Amino acid sequence: MWETLVQIFPYAIALTIPLLITALGALYCERSGVVNIGLDGFMIIGSFACALTIVSLETVFPAGSNAPVWIGLIVAAVVGGIFSLLHAFASINLCANQVISGTAINMMAGSLTLFLARNITGSGTIRVKGFTKFDIPVLKDIPVIGDLFFKNSYITTWVVIIIIAITCFLLYKTSFGLRLRSCGENPHASDAAGINVYKMRYIGVIISGALGSLGGAIYLVTFAGEFNGTVGGFGFLALAALIFGQWRPLAIVAATLFFGTAWTISNVSDVLPQFQAIPPVFLKIFPYVMTLLALVVFSKSSQAPKASGEPFKHSER
């Protein structure tokens, strides 16, 4: 049993990280009062931007250098932030239905990136060389914990852990976080207190787009290895993790780890003898069934921001 856990856990962490960073991006957006179901689209945009950057810079840097990958991650975040302005403008300025706007982002991202990939590279698939796994010296020798967390890990895992710490500090220990959360709870009271609700919501959406696209890029360079116009529905799983985690950073960490583990079990079941007795179809649908069950169980106790999804119009005083 222990050997099976040691085999599965590094893959579960690798799958959890892109889910986690994307869900954290959605947290900023929804805490500001804007619903973002376009996470899948933002992940696709980030995956494409990162893949295109890496293949463009491979000949510039020495062979084996990770510089193109790091630059690709940065470019993905920037492109995602810019692309999110479409959702922000429609949702905040035009007071459009935010669910429809997010759906449009999802539909646009896949077709647009495939069109660009075929016209720029001549193929709808872009293969890249991403990060390789490594063991952390000293820490990998710690009993139990070392085998699970410090062996076969990606550098992006530790980058995302830092982003989690920053998120917790920003949202709950700074005036910025208080203003952002107030805009998602009672934007009219925030407006009366002198907070620029439009500005805070724009910031929330842009951060969401940047982190969502970063999640797509991390998915590319750690798990997928190629861009093909899809991220396997990870954006929707990240949205489910956000709801499952009750819009709280640390609870979202637990939720994404749960979904990442469920997805890992369905993917590695074919090569693990412990799962051979279970019909393959059950294992393939396992993560989706668990997602639905989690949403059903926690739907009644949902603690979403009260003004999430509600358009705001500034009242002249």
Side-chain angles (χ1 to χ4, degrees):
M1 183 65 182
W2 174 251
E3 292 181 357
T4 303
L5 181 62
V6 171
Q7 286 179 307
I8 290 178
F9 203 74
Y11 291 99
I13 293 293
L15 283 170
T16 296
I17 292 304
L19 279 176
L20 175 56
I21 193 65
T22 304
L24 285 178
L27 175 66
Y28 281 97
C29 190
E30 299 214 3
R31 279 293 186 179
S32 73
V34 179
V35 170
N36 187 1
I37 68 166
L39 300 177
D40 212 63
F42 287 121
M43 289 189 74
I44 293 171
I45 289 291
S47 177
F48 168 71
C50 183
L52 190 62
T53 301
I54 292 174
V55 297
S56 300
L57 296 178
E58 280 179 337
T59 57
V60 177
F61 292 91
S65 172
N66 282 330
V69 183
W70 285 112
I71 296 173
L73 293 178
I74 295 171
V75 169
V78 172
V79 170
I82 295 172
F83 192 72
S84 69
L85 291 174
L86 292 173
H87 183 51
F89 181 73
S91 302
I92 300 170
N93 294 88
L94 301 182
C95 295
N97 186 298
Q98 296 168 14
V99 173
I100 294 176
S101 177
T103 302
I105 293 292
N106 288 333
M107 295 176 66
M108 184 190 306
S111 54
L112 177 63
T113 53
L114 281 175
F115 172 78
L116 292 175
R118 286 170 181 165
N119 280 273
I120 295 173
T121 67
S123 172
T125 300
I126 306 176
R127 291 183 174 84
V128 299
K129 183 179 180 181
F131 290 118
T132 56
K133 294 181 179 180
F134 69 100
D135 296 341
I136 299 178
V138 181
L139 295 179
K140 67 181 178 64
D141 298 322
I142 299 175
V144 182
I145 296 177
D147 288 332
L148 296 178
F149 294 97
F150 303 117
K151 288 184 178 180
N152 295 318
S153 65
Y154 290 106
I155 186 63
T156 48
T157 300
W158 308 104
V159 172
V160 171
I161 288 175
I162 294 172
I163 294 175
I164 295 168
I166 293 173
T167 295
C168 292
F169 178 77
L170 277 179
L171 288 181
Y172 298 103
K173 300 295 182 180
T174 66
S175 58
F176 165 79
L178 180 60
R179 290 171 182 170
L180 187 79
R181 288 184 288 120
S182 70
C183 291
E185 295 293 338
N186 195 327
H188 293 286
S190 302
D191 181 53
I195 297 173
N196 190 329
V197 177
Y198 291 142
K199 176 183 176 182
M200 297 307 298
R201 287 191 168 185
Y202 257 95
I203 291 173
V205 175
I206 292 171
I207 293 176
S208 178
L211 293 184
S213 293
L214 180 60
I218 292 175
Y219 171 85
L220 170 77
V221 300
T222 60
F223 177 71
E226 68 175 23
F227 165 80
N228 56 12
T230 181
V231 288
F234 265 46
F236 296 105
L237 278 179
L239 183 62
L242 174 71
I243 299 170
F244 188 22
Q246 297 293 294
W247 291 266
R248 295 175 181 173
L250 296 182
I252 289 172
V253 174
T256 52
L257 181 59
F258 171 76
F259 289 135
T261 302
W263 190 278
T264 302
I265 290 174
S266 72
N267 277 289
V268 303
S269 58
D270 294 337
V271 296
L272 293 177
Q274 294 87 344
F275 296 101
Q276 295 298 318
I278 303 175
V281 66
F282 291 162
L283 292 168
K284 292 302 179 184
I285 66 173
F286 177 68
Y288 304 104
V289 172
M290 295 307 297
T291 301
L292 290 173
L293 289 176
L295 292 177
V296 168
V297 170
F298 287 91
S299 61
K300 291 185 178 180
S301 60
S302 177
Q303 299 178 5
K306 293 179 181 178
S308 182
E310 296 181 6
F312 169 78
K313 290 185 179 180
H314 176 71
S315 57
E316 296 293 339
R317 296 189 297 272

